[in-house]
């Protein structure tokens, strides 16, 4: 009996990993602003997934469950004292975009643009980052974002609007700087 | 007079949460339509940039830089090791194979040794124990020939 259940369980976990791992790393990276931390969070989430699979209550919507657990794991990290300390003493993450089709100049310009937008994103409050990432990056409807974050829809809209306003302002500044060069 | 839509109302339109009258205004106002188009475009740009930036295919420049630093440190280490080895090798060679100061000195030494070994009545032990200068003086003195039976003609038949 167990011999038959294990492969099915493994196959489902592997399928969930293939389907959601990249998405969860990206979400964690946006919320925490650190790639390595995001990868660790994703690993934690999939370990939790295995434990939950063995538990008495199995979620119906695994995608929503994984998103919620990722957000909670990110919050736990943020609450940890060492995390706040290391974040204060660390340079902002610098990334380069990999774009096979672009020329080096275009890639550099695109990378700089991405870095500056990401830096502006990291200046948002944690809640604003969460709602923005879930609504616009993950493409969740507002009511689902509210459900995932245990917030009211009005609160989600307020955070979202502030985040959008701030990021549009930052985008305008970045475009202004590029125009002056 | 119709008032144009606020930024928040414009965003609510984008979210599909604006009332009918605001939608009607947007449909009939060129200025608001242009602003709405800009909002859409900018949100798209921001979302794309963040999605690409946070995507796991992004390459970490810091990590790349760290890799370069590591490679440079390894190369420097190898260079140091090779340099140290070369210095040690030279020193050990000098100990094993000491070179005479000059060729003239070496030649005179060889000459002395040859003379010493070819001289009669000089045993290896006496050469080793005695002072070389004394031995040479003894060998070159006429008395030494007198003692030698061959040199004194004692060997003649």
């Amino acid at each position: 009996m167990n011999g038959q259940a294990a492969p099915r369980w493994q196959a489902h976990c592997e399928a969930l990993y293939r389907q959601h791992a990249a998405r969860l790393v990206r979400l964690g990276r946006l919320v925490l602003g650190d790639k390595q931390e995001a990868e660790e969070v994703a690993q934690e989430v999939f370990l939790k997934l295995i434990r939950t699979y063995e538990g008495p209550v199995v979620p119906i919507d695994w995608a929503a469950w994984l998103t919620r657990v990722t957000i909670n794991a990110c919050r736990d990290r943020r609450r940890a004292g060492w995390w706040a300390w290391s974040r204060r003493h660390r340079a902002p993450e610098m990334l380069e975009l990999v774009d096979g089709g672009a020329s080096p100049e275009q890639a550099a310009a695109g990378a700089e643009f991405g870095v500056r937008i990401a830096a502006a994103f990291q200046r948002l409050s944690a809640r604003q980052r969460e709602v923005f990432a879930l609504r616009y990056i993950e493409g969740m409807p507002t009511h689902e974002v509210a459900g995932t974050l245990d917030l009211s829809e009005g609160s989600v809209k307020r955070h979202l609007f502030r985040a959008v306003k701030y990021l549009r302002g930052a985008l305008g500044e970045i475009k202004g700087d590029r125009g002056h060069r | 007079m119709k008032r144009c839509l606020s930024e928040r109302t414009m965003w609510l339109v984008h979210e599909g949460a604006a009332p009918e009258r605001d939608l009607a205004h947007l449909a009939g106002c060129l200025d608001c339509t242009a602003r709405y188009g800009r909002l859409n475009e900018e949100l798209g740009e921001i979302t794309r940039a963040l999605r690409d930036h946070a995507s796991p295919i992004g390459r970490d420049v810091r990590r790349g830089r760290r890799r370069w630093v590591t490679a440079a440190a390894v190369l420097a280490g190898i260079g140091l090791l090779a340099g140290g080895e070369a210095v040690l090798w030279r020193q050990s060679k000098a100990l094993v194979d000491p070179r005479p100061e000059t060729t003239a000195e070496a030649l005179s030494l060889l000459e002395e040794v040859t003379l010493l070994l070819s001289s009669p009545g000089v045993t290896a032990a006496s050469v080793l124990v005695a002072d070389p200068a004394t031995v040479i003086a003894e060998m070159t003195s006429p008395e030494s020939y007198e003692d030698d039976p061959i040199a004194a003609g004692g060997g003649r038949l």
Side-chain angles (χ1 to χ4, degrees):
Chain A
M1 194 79 179
N2 278 340
Q4 281 179 344
R8 211 186 321 160
W9 164 83
Q10 272 181 0
H12 190 213
C13 280
E14 277 171 21
L16 284 171
Y17 183 83
R18 275 196 302 274
Q19 203 179 339
H20 297 285
R23 176 178 76 83
L24 297 182
V25 170
R26 186 179 63 195
L27 177 62
R29 199 173 180 184
L30 282 170
V31 173
L32 293 171
D34 189 287
K35 188 183 176 185
Q36 206 177 329
E37 294 273 347
E39 281 168 359
E40 284 172 21
V41 161
Q43 279 176 12
E44 260 175 52
V45 170
F46 281 100
L47 282 174
K48 249 178 210 169
L49 169 91
I50 292 165
R51 281 201 293 272
T52 307
Y53 229 107
E54 291 165 342
V57 183
V58 177
I60 300 162
D61 185 355
W62 280 106
W65 183 87
L66 285 167
T67 306
R68 186 195 294 262
V69 173
T70 302
I71 289 287
N72 287 338
C74 289
R75 284 179 180 173
D76 287 346
R77 278 203 177 226
R78 275 205 311 267
R79 280 192 206 114
W82 63 266
W83 195 84
W85 182 87
S86 72
R87 200 168 163 76
R88 273 199 304 275
H89 293 81
R90 165 176 73 183
E93 194 182 43
M94 299 290 283
L95 289 155
E96 183 182 42
L97 298 179
V98 175
D99 186 356
S103 70
E105 291 81 14
Q106 283 173 324
E112 194 207 341
F113 178 72
V115 166
R116 290 187 68 179
I117 289 286
F121 187 77
Q122 289 306 315
R123 285 195 291 272
L124 296 174
S125 72
R127 190 49 59 81
Q128 286 170 358
R129 285 201 300 273
E130 286 172 1
V131 293
F132 191 97
L134 292 180
R135 175 71 188 91
Y136 293 117
I137 310 293
E138 294 299 311
M140 276 186 179
T142 313
H143 69 271
E144 266 185 41
V145 176
T148 304
L149 299 175
D150 284 328
L151 293 171
S152 68
E153 265 196 70
S155 181
V156 167
K157 281 179 184 167
R158 251 194 323 277
H159 287 302
L160 258 182
F161 177 65
R162 282 179 197 155
V164 168
K165 198 177 170 186
Y166 182 81
L167 289 174
R168 284 185 77 198
L171 180 72
E173 276 177 27
I174 294 166
K175 281 184 169 174
D177 287 352
R178 288 169 113 191
H180 285 133
R181 280 183 202 168
Chain B
M1 184 186 151
K2 284 194 277 183
R3 282 185 66 194
C4 280
L5 302 180
S6 68
E7 285 298 308
R8 186 174 167 81
T9 312
M10 197 74 80
W11 176 73
L12 284 172
V13 172
H14 179 269
E15 289 296 297
E20 276 297 317
R21 58 183 168 87
D22 291 332
L23 292 175
H25 172 86
L26 183 67
C29 176
L30 283 177
D31 192 30
C32 285
T33 309
R35 283 171 56 217
Y36 183 69
R38 223 169 24 246
L39 168 70
N40 262 334
E41 193 187 307
E42 287 179 2
L43 257 178
E45 269 184 273
I46 292 166
T47 309
R48 265 194 308 279
L50 287 174
R51 200 173 278 154
D52 289 346
H53 180 86
S55 156
I57 61 158
R59 193 148 47 96
D60 203 324
V61 168
R62 264 193 313 180
R63 195 168 289 176
R65 222 174 278 152
R66 225 177 285 150
R67 233 178 270 149
W68 275 108
V69 169
T70 313
V74 167
L75 277 175
I78 290 168
L80 271 174
L81 268 175
E85 278 288 313
V87 167
L88 283 174
W89 180 73
R90 257 186 230 155
Q91 282 176 355
S92 65
K93 200 184 170 202
L95 282 173
V96 170
D97 184 22
R99 285 185 160 196
E101 289 295 311
T102 56
T103 320
E105 256 181 59
L107 282 172
S108 72
L109 180 73
L110 274 172
E111 207 175 300
E112 280 172 17
V113 172
T114 314
L115 191 68
L116 203 63
L117 291 174
S118 62
S119 63
V122 177
T123 58
S126 66
V127 170
L128 286 170
V129 171
D131 177 33
T134 321
V135 174
I136 290 164
E138 272 175 15
M139 283 182 330
T140 49
S141 70
E143 288 156 15
S144 67
Y145 290 105
E146 284 166 14
D147 294 341
D148 188 355
I150 300 169
R156 244 181 267 159
L157 291 172

